[in-house]
Amino acid sequence: MDPGLFRGVFVFLRFVSLSALSVLLLCPGCVRYQPQHAHIESAAVAATRTSVPAGPLPFEDAVRLLVDRHPVLRATRADIAAVNTCPGPRPLVGSTMVLDGNPTETMIGTDVLALLGIGPRKAEKALARAVRSEAVSRHHERARDLVAELAEAYAVHRVLMGLQPPTFPVDIDAFESAGLASKADIAAARAVVAEVAAESRILEVQRQDAQRAIVRLIAAVPGTAITPVPVDGTWPALEEPERRRLVLARGDLQRLLAAWHVADKNYRFQIARQYPNLFVGLGSNVNLQVPMQLFAVSLPLDAPAEARAAEHARSAAFHRLDAGVLDALHDAEAARLDLEAANALLAGRVERRDGALALIESERAHLETDPSGLTRVVFVSGRYVDAVRQHREAAVAAARARVEAARAAGWPTPQMVGESR
């Protein structure tokens, strides 16, 4: 082998070894890879490793469980932590020139302005903090949506627990065996009895489903035994919507506001990026008579155009925020009107149910003296079952409308959903 080539290879390998050693010495705080194994079975039980407390579950405790355990909120909190709020300066760059197997120039350098906190780095840090704030707002918005779903499940469960299933007032088998009714009346009566059984089953299933919704929102597996503590009929409280309070409470408006801050900080960053970057290098075999060996200047020629585009992006974010606030005020008013209509319908359904029940009592009293009155009892009982079904539907709709009206007006509060997390 040619001695010169051998010497060159030896020098190159020695340089690589020294460079690798330097990297290890300069990076004592480097992050190591932490393995994580994901599969369907592990993901399905990850949120249920901590058991749900037994016994009655008040709404406030359920909110805490939801915020702590729900995998979607765990993901949004991880998104917050994933934002690097302190982007570092440009890395140290090392280089060595080799000529005929001998190193002729060794240099290490970096962007001096970035090290001194001058130039775009300060604006870049502010942009990173704004991006993190936007991630916090997304967490707040998602948590608020889930808490509203939880509130709706509690309200519906309370309504359903307060309802009684319908009953049929007479013994059809006794009338049939005694031959006191025609086959048509017996068939019609059995149809009403079947509707009574169906309505009773629907009521029970909907109660179970409301409870299942609570179990899902606290990130427990189906079938977990919980006992929701009933909430008050006037819960949640309704307040008049106010522009500033809406912005402070509603997660979607917080997100739009955070998006404007991100656009504003990006605009500032693009403005700062217009300034030239100064690169300084130090090393051996440097000819001081040639300044470009020590200093280098980079000119971001695209920065002015990017800055103008960022200014327009900030303007767009402002108009989206303005539209969001306006829509929120109208949403609150629309939700209040929907609640008013739902309560009016519920009041009518209650009167219809009570009126049908009074008719049944009257017709049953008449039936005790006149067996031929079964036809009228069957007819009135059918109307009563319809009235009970419509009352159930109206009561559930009114409960949902109340939660939606409170939510549109700024409930739940940021403190309830753990904004400070």
Side-chain angles (χ1 to χ4, degrees), residues 109-191:
T110 189
D111 186 350
V112 176
L113 296 182
L115 286 176
L116 298 177
I118 305 173
R121 188 186 176 196
K122 184 176 180 180
E124 187 177 8
K125 286 184 175 181
L127 173 60
R129 290 193 296 269
V131 170
R132 185 185 185 278
S133 296
E134 186 181 24
V136 172
S137 297
R138 284 196 296 269
H139 168 74
H140 175 205
E141 179 183 18
R142 194 68 187 96
R144 192 170 179 274
D145 290 342
L146 291 172
V147 170
E149 290 184 35
L150 182 67
E152 186 174 294
Y154 264 81
V156 169
H157 186 268
R158 177 194 63 81
V159 166
L160 294 174
M161 291 300 294
L163 298 179
Q164 295 296 324
T167 58
F168 193 74
V170 297
D171 185 357
I172 298 301
D173 292 333
F175 269 80
E176 185 178 20
S177 60
L180 297 175
S182 65
K183 291 183 178 180
D185 287 341
I186 295 298
R190 292 196 183 281

Side-chain angles (χ1 to χ4, degrees), residues 60-383:
E60 293 76 12
D61 292 346
V63 169
R64 285 191 287 270
L65 290 172
L66 183 153
V67 174
D68 289 339
R69 293 164 51 93
H70 203 287
V72 169
L73 299 185
R74 289 184 174 184
T76 55
R77 286 195 290 271
D79 289 337
I80 296 171
V83 178
N84 179 17
T85 57
C86 188
R90 293 188 179 184
L92 294 174
V93 178
S95 64
T96 296
M97 297 181 63
V98 179
L99 181 63
D100 294 333
N102 296 313
T104 62
E105 180 181 307
T106 301
M107 180 174 289
I108 183 170
T110 189
D111 186 350
V112 176
L113 296 182
L115 286 176
L116 298 177
I118 305 173
R121 188 186 176 196
K122 184 176 180 180
E124 187 177 8
K125 286 184 175 181
L127 173 60
R129 290 193 296 269
V131 170
R132 185 185 185 278
S133 296
E134 186 181 24
V136 172
S137 297
R138 284 196 296 269
H139 168 74
H140 175 205
E141 179 183 18
R142 194 68 187 96
R144 192 170 179 274
D145 290 342
L146 291 172
V147 170
E149 290 184 35
L150 182 67
E152 186 174 294
Y154 264 81
V156 169
H157 186 268
R158 177 194 63 81
V159 166
L160 294 174
M161 291 300 294
L163 298 179
Q164 295 296 324
T167 58
F168 193 74
V170 297
D171 185 357
I172 298 301
D173 292 333
F175 269 80
E176 185 178 20
S177 60
L180 297 175
S182 65
K183 291 183 178 180
D185 287 341
I186 295 298
R190 292 196 183 281
V192 175
V193 170
E195 289 188 11
V196 167
E199 178 60 24
S200 299
R201 182 56 184 158
I202 290 172
L203 180 60
E204 179 58 30
V205 167
Q206 288 192 352
R207 288 171 179 169
Q208 294 176 6
D209 189 60
Q211 190 165 323
R212 179 208 54 79
I214 298 172
V215 170
R216 176 183 68 84
L217 289 165
I218 62 174
V221 295
T224 301
I226 63 168
T227 305
V229 174
V231 293
D232 189 76
T234 59
W235 175 92
L238 301 178
E239 297 185 15
E240 283 294 325
E242 188 269 327
R243 182 180 291 261
R244 176 174 173 79
R245 188 167 56 82
L246 277 179
V247 175
L248 293 176
R250 285 186 53 146
D252 53 344
L253 298 185
Q254 283 289 318
R255 176 178 48 80
L256 290 174
L257 180 59
W260 179 87
H261 281 296
V262 170
D264 180 63
K265 300 305 181 184
N266 183 55
Y267 177 42
R268 290 177 179 270
F269 170 67
Q270 296 300 336
I271 291 293
R273 205 173 67 85
Q274 296 178 108
Y275 296 98
N277 294 324
L278 177 64
F279 183 88
V280 176
L282 298 175
S284 61
N285 302 324
V286 175
N287 186 356
L288 299 179
Q289 302 299 320
V290 184
M292 293 305 293
Q293 284 190 303
L294 294 175
F295 302 98
V297 178
S298 63
L299 299 175
L301 299 179
D302 65 328
E306 293 292 337
R308 285 190 292 269
E311 182 181 10
H312 291 298
R314 184 185 66 170
S315 178
F318 175 80
H319 292 306
R320 291 191 184 95
L321 174 61
D322 188 32
V325 174
L326 182 62
D327 287 344
L329 292 171
H330 281 281
D331 288 345
E333 179 67 11
R336 184 189 65 80
L337 294 174
D338 287 343
L339 175 59
E340 186 177 336
N343 285 335
L345 179 62
L346 176 60
R349 295 301 189 221
V350 170
E351 292 296 329
R352 187 171 187 269
R353 181 205 60 187
D354 294 345
L357 185 59
L359 281 176
I360 286 180
E361 294 298 328
S362 174
E363 293 301 331
R364 185 171 59 179
H366 179 263
L367 183 63
E368 292 177 356
T369 60
D370 184 6
S372 65
L374 180 61
T375 303
R376 296 170 60 181
V377 171
V378 171
F379 176 75
V380 173
S381 296
R383 293 189 60 184

